[in-house]
Amino acid sequence: MSVNITAYQQIIQLLHNKATLVAVSKTKPIEDIETLYQLGQRSFGENYVQELVEKYTQLPKDIQWHFIGHLQSNKVKYIAPFVYLIHGVDSIKLLLEVNKQAIKQNRTINCLLQVHIATEETKFGFDEIEILAINWAEINALTNVKVVGLMGMASFTNDIKIIESEFKQLQRIYQKLQQQNSSIQLLSMGMSADYTIALQYGSNMVRIGSTLFGNRVYAK
Ligand SMILES: *Cc1c(COP(=O)(O)O)cnc(C)c1O
């Protein structure tokens, strides 16, 4: 069995209701998700639309499914019927599409805006200037989508100073936005390698995969 139950219990204790654990189960089998489900875990994160839809159909309906990957507009419709929270909204265009599909499903979909904090060019998201310039009246007017927070990923580096400064930047942006918009309540930051640092900078939602489920075998 590849699920690290000891690590799971330690993380749950550490978070101690101050932050939500999203167990990132991408590329992992149904049985691994069931193992954590039986221990009480209900929030799971996936990166790929097709994989998420397959797992949703096979697993208990009280699971809260978090979409944490890069979402293409043309795929929103597949997850709109059931997704609990979309973490990686990186454009207003995508937000409009989520709203459109949510209307069709007669539900409201909660979203996080992804902020680009890493120095790497490949990461998606709004930069600081863009996010602070957002027209909240326009977003609040969308009937079936609600922006409830921010999500970010630090650079892939062993340099703790870099990671700290990136998380600190996101925390600062988050605090500014909270003053403008009372719906902003979630700060999703921290993965297996850096979640303890993220918690020091105000993260209240961590996305942890490999520490719980082991390393992913194939690159996806
Ligand atoms: C894969 C992934 C994670 C989890 O990464 P681990 O290092 O395995 O904990 C978290 N967030 C996002 C956006 C991911 O794609």
Side-chain angles (χ1 to χ4, degrees):
M1 181 153 76
S2 58
V3 182
N4 189 335
I5 290 172
T6 310
Y8 174 70
Q9 286 164 341
Q10 283 168 351
I11 291 169
I12 289 294
Q13 267 204 331
L14 176 82
L15 299 182
H16 195 255
N17 298 331
K18 290 195 288 269
T20 301
L21 169 65
V22 178
V24 176
S25 46
K26 63 185 176 200
T27 80
K28 298 297 177 182
I30 293 286
E31 300 75 56
D32 288 1
I33 298 174
E34 283 169 337
T35 301
L36 286 192
Y37 181 87
Q38 277 150 20
L39 295 173
Q41 180 65 23
R42 290 296 179 271
S43 300
F44 290 91
E46 291 282 337
N47 285 48
Y48 306 98
V49 167
Q50 196 185 337
E51 184 178 347
L52 171 54
V53 171
E54 281 168 20
K55 286 174 172 171
Y56 164 74
T57 20
Q58 294 178 53
L59 282 155
K61 293 296 170 281
D62 62 341
I63 287 180
Q64 298 178 341
W65 290 105
H66 294 242
F67 189 82
I68 63 169
H70 179 63
L71 184 56
Q72 290 166 286
S73 290
N74 61 353
K75 298 207 169 151
V76 175
K77 57 178 177 284
Y78 301 114
I79 62 172
F82 65 88
V83 70
Y84 177 76
L85 181 64
I86 300 176
H87 287 232
V89 174
D90 61 356
S91 70
I92 301 299
K93 177 177 160 265
L94 180 58
L95 201 61
L96 295 173
E97 177 62 18
V98 174
N99 188 53
K100 184 174 145 193
Q101 297 301 331
I103 290 169
K104 285 190 189 167
Q105 300 298 329
N106 194 27
R107 60 191 297 256
T108 297
I109 298 179
N110 289 335
C111 293
L112 306 180
L113 300 182
Q114 184 167 356
V115 186
H116 175 98
I117 48 170
T119 44
E120 291 141 30
E121 276 302 317
T122 51
K123 298 266 159 66
F124 296 101
F126 296 89
D127 64 28
E128 176 165 0
I129 295 173
E130 289 167 338
I131 203 106
L132 293 175
I134 276 177
N135 178 351
W136 288 103
E138 184 193 346
I139 288 179
N140 293 339
L142 299 172
T143 52
N144 291 55
V145 86
K146 194 169 174 202
V147 174
V148 293
L150 303 179
M151 178 267 215
M153 271 188 280
S155 296
F156 287 108
T157 171
N158 292 324
D159 188 336
I160 289 176
K161 288 271 166 292
I162 294 177
I163 297 171
E164 282 178 341
S165 78
E166 291 172 354
F167 283 156
K168 197 173 179 176
Q169 183 197 3
L170 187 52
Q171 180 183 38
R172 198 166 38 73
I173 299 169
Y174 174 72
Q175 288 167 343
K176 272 193 201 172
L177 285 188
Q178 276 192 312
Q179 290 165 6
Q180 297 174 19
N181 187 332
S182 59
S183 303
I184 301 287
Q185 288 171 1
L186 291 177
L187 181 55
S188 166
M189 64 179 192
M191 309 173 28
S192 289
D194 56 22
Y195 71 91
T196 52
I197 306 173
L199 291 168
Q200 290 166 32
Y201 290 94
S203 168
N204 56 20
M205 185 169 271
V206 293
R207 311 174 308 270
I208 301 181
S210 43
T211 296
L212 299 172
F213 296 111
N215 288 327
R216 290 174 289 276
V217 187
Y218 51 105
K220 232 185 158 189

